[in-house]
Amino acid sequence: MLFNSLQFLVFFLVVTLWFFRIKSQKGRIWLLLLASCYFYMAFIPVYVIILGGTIVIDYIAGIQIAKKRGKSRKVWLIASIIANVGILAFFKYFNFFISNINDSFKLLHTGRDIPLLHIILPIGLSFHTFQAMSYTIEVYRGKQPPEHNFVTYALYVMFYPQLVAGPIERPQNVLPQLHEYRPYNWDNVKEGLARMLWGFFKKVVIADRLAMAVDYVFGRYEHASALALFIGAVLYSFQIYCDFSGYSDIGIGAARVMNIKLMENFNQPYIARNITGFWACWHISLSTWFRDYVYIPLGGNRKGEARRKRNIFITFLLSGLWHGANWTFIAWGALHGTLVTFFHGRAKDTKGEKSRFHRPKVLLFVVANFLLVTLFWIFFRAENVHKALSYIGGIFSLKQGSNRIGLNATELIFSLVLIVAMMWRENRRPGHFIRSNKLFGWYVTAIVAVCYFFGVFSENQFIYFQF
Amino acid sequence: MGKKIARDILILLGLALLVISNVRKYMEQISNTRNESNGWWGAHHSPEGDLVQMGYLDYVTKFHSLIDYKFVKPAWNGPKHVALYAQGDSYIWKVPDTAYAGITSYKFAWRFQHDLAYTLDTSKRNVLLIEMAERYVRGYFNATGIFNEVYDSAKKAQGLAANIPVRSNVKLAGILPDGISKDDIFNPNINQNLEYNIFNYNFLNPVRSYKALMTYCLFHRASGQVAIADNDDYLLLATTLLPAHGNSSYERIGDKYIGQYVQTLNTIYDHYKADGFDEVYISIIPNPATIVQPKGYNNMIPRIEQSPNLKMKVVSVYDAYRNATNIVYRRGDTHWNNNGLQIWLQKVNEMLAAENHKASR
């Protein structure tokens, strides 16, 4: 079920109203779990069995880790990680691995060809797998008591607002909230709805509009001029931001309506002045996951400069691979890893600098950093590394060709105005709480009208769903 | 108290909407009623073209084009031997049997909606015509699902057709009640159905048409599934223009895949020949995009039709359409206009004449 669909809107209305109708927390947990199952099954019903399987394993592992002493704890942790990573590896990376072996066979002229499996990646697998792993790891580390209520634990993994594209939550944040009965709170409802509307605006008015240009340019990049390629790449940067952060806004807002506060996932990444600042503000729940469960266990910065750089690079490489089974994502991760290795520790006042980004020097860094990130996004968007390199080559060789980008001049200008307005609003007024009911009413009316009259409705899937 | 009642009513309404929009049986009943109605609750309908209707371009008159089909009884003096069976789509469902030359009988089934169950009369020359819009070709001829839809009624009854691919809409045996399938719970078209049930009312048309007009005037674009042709003269189905989509005229198709489609057509050909048909024809109607803006076309139709390995006979309109001096499609519709229809009928009637000639020998 897509957030930007009528099905979700009706589903959300029913579930939320029903949620507040129930007077016991137990009943609410059951309702949310059943609703989350339906939400997930709306994609491919049978895959709920896989998700259910990992939930059972991690639930048992969590209890056993807390109960056992000595090596047994580690055995249960490893079993849980193997189960999660194994499922992820099978569904996401098996065919990638086999096709690379087949490519090697072709190079060696062996004439062998291992058949690929006809498997479809369960939606949001990478997200809920990581969220489940964070639970068992935190229990192992003693930072989180095991959850004995199976339904509550299942809901921790399956909670529909963050099930398929995050934020990748931590048990310390969500589980206590699932235990606590919180009565209806109009302020939370207002804040949640305003946040959801902002997410819808970013998705259907900006991201899906930019998608038309991006799809057009990337689909015809061989015939496009350098200018069109450049504009296409820049627009993709904003498309992916509005798409993904819009999703997060809707998810965080939907949870907020039901009095559950999820972690933030974005903090204006495109006004960071260097790559480290960007990563402190982009997909925060994933970055911190890799920091806590990969970078620090690898040794972090504790074993010298060389090891620190190596650890950063490995972390980003894995982050790239997490995004998809394709060399483009690995290249994207490697590029970011290389740059972060260089910049890490040099940018100490990223937040402070962000607030002063109107200064010429800082502005220059912000623009340069944005262009660099944009360049790397090309790998993220392209179908393969060859196409990404051709695309980049087209920009730098100042290629002649068609200047068409799939939008007319009015729509391009309109899109740029929307982007500026969105950036300005997020910079100047990052919160979503509106105290006055009257003002809230006007805000809702205005955003709904803008979304309706200027929204692009073609059931575009969120980009991050594929991961 | 009032708030609680309102809340409960909203919950019930929401649930009812989800259920009704999921279950195909209910949707069929509702759409059968509402599509025919001109009242405020009726569904949006434009006689000016299905793309005009889909895009709510009621206020943009340059794309308006009414149906202008003229069905003339073709001249035929010879004996009639051909029993014509046709499986097709919306292109030919309105074509009456009197428009075909030299046939003794005509049986038509609209693909995906009705099955074509036949009992062949061996004293006649039985001809099967498979007509298909280009955009459906790749999806449909990936497999031999046609065996489930076009079959000998006697053999089907005897269960002899059991060893053929089954429909994707499988009932979860033993779990769901009779008449309810998996798709009635997780209906893939639920969003279209909800849109139909919540917003598609005649009294809302002006708002939606105004939005479409604004989008057209400001951005020179139609919304949703409708796109404007490069020459600005036609509306086109957006999916037929995408660089990567199974319906597209422009997605590159490797020779391997063309070979697979040809192979599937050969399997279908052999199957129906073995079943008693004297001849089997395929007729692919080009996407309007294919003809209107041929630059970059993936040449799927000529590559299939001219494949030396293709056993199935072809009723081709591709070259005739490309060379036509008059326009062959309606400007605001996915279908042909009368010119396009007449070209197709002429080709089919030439085929029927040839089949009658074979029967007379």
Side-chain angles (χ1 to χ4, degrees), chain A residues 31-46:
Chain A
L31 171 77
L32 287 180
L33 182 62
L34 292 174
S36 300
C37 284
Y38 183 78
F39 178 88
Y40 192 73
M41 290 170 79
F43 295 107
I44 299 178
V46 73

Side-chain angles (χ1 to χ4, degrees), chain A residues 7 21 408 411 452 455, chain B residues 8 22 191 208 211 219 221:
Chain A
Q7 186 185 17
R21 196 179 189 280
N408 71 2
E411 193 157 24
Y452 177 72
Chain B
D8 290 352
N22 259 317
N191 283 303
R208 305 187 72 173
K211 180 194 170 178
F219 308 136
R221 189 163 57 69

Side-chain angles (χ1 to χ4, degrees), chain B residues 44-325:
Chain B
H44 178 230
H45 175 73
S46 171
E48 308 287 358
D50 56 9
L51 292 171
V52 171
Q53 179 177 315
M54 285 161 70
Y56 279 84
L57 290 160
D58 303 59
Y59 298 156
V60 186
T61 52
K62 70 175 289 188
F63 299 117
H64 290 190
S65 53
L66 291 165
I67 291 175
D68 60 347
Y69 305 149
K70 291 183 183 67
F71 298 106
V72 181
K73 193 172 181 179
W76 184 259
N77 298 321
K80 297 177 178 178
H81 297 292
V82 173
L84 179 62
Y85 296 85
Q87 190 219 28
D89 48 34
S90 53
Y91 274 85
I92 64 167
W93 77 285
K94 278 190 174 173
V95 178
D97 54 358
T98 52
Y100 297 110
I103 56 169
T104 59
S105 63
Y106 175 58
K107 188 163 187 180
F108 168 76
W110 190 333
R111 186 178 302 106
F112 305 130
Q113 308 227 7
H114 303 107
D115 291 351
L116 181 61
Y118 52 81
T119 306
L120 299 182
D121 178 354
T122 49
S123 68
K124 305 286 184 234
R125 186 161 177 85
N126 295 294
V127 172
L128 175 62
L129 173 65
I130 302 165
E131 175 275 324
M132 180 173 280
E134 182 182 4
R135 65 178 186 272
Y136 296 127
V137 166
R138 285 195 273 163
Y140 198 69
F141 293 124
N142 262 332
T144 50
I146 191 172
F147 296 157
N148 277 317
E149 292 160 4
V150 180
Y151 49 79
D152 185 319
S153 45
K155 283 187 181 175
K156 181 83 173 183
Q158 292 162 13
L160 293 180
N163 192 24
I164 54 178
V166 291
R167 290 169 195 275
S168 59
N169 184 17
V170 186
K171 191 185 150 195
L172 296 176
I175 299 175
L176 302 174
D178 283 347
I180 301 286
S181 80
K182 174 177 76 66
D183 281 358
D184 290 329
I185 297 173
F186 302 105
N187 190 328
N189 298 317
I190 187 170
N191 283 303
Q192 290 93 317
N193 293 347
L194 281 168
E195 196 274 339
Y196 183 87
N197 288 328
I198 300 173
F199 296 117
N200 194 343
Y201 294 94
N202 281 332
F203 77 96
L204 291 173
N205 287 348
V207 182
R208 305 187 72 173
S209 299
Y210 178 72
K211 180 194 170 178
L213 176 68
M214 191 178 70
T215 305
Y216 177 75
C217 292
L218 281 177
F219 308 136
H220 198 65
R221 189 163 57 69
S223 56
Q225 301 163 33
V226 183
I228 296 167
D230 288 347
N231 65 10
D232 210 22
D233 283 343
Y234 290 88
L235 296 178
L236 301 170
L237 204 57
T239 54
T240 62
L241 300 175
L242 297 174
H245 193 283
N247 292 355
S248 175
S249 294
Y250 306 100
E251 184 177 36
R252 289 180 184 171
I253 309 171
D255 289 340
K256 180 183 156 192
Y257 292 101
I258 296 290
Q260 283 175 5
Y261 303 135
V262 168
Q263 183 56 47
T264 307
L265 288 172
N266 287 345
T267 306
I268 293 167
Y269 181 79
D270 291 340
H271 175 86
Y272 290 114
K273 287 284 277 187
D275 228 19
F277 278 101
D278 295 291
E279 201 51 272
V280 183
Y281 287 86
I282 176 89
S283 180
I284 303 173
I285 313 301
N287 290 332
T290 299
I291 302 300
V292 169
Q293 43 190 57
K295 190 181 171 191
Y297 176 48
N298 58 27
N299 286 311
M300 186 186 75
I301 293 178
R303 287 161 75 196
I304 291 176
E305 288 182 348
Q306 292 163 21
S307 167
N309 300 323
L310 184 67
K311 292 184 193 172
M312 197 179 282
K313 301 293 180 288
V314 172
V315 175
S316 177
V317 291
Y318 176 70
D319 285 334
Y321 277 23
R322 284 194 69 189
N323 300 325
T325 47

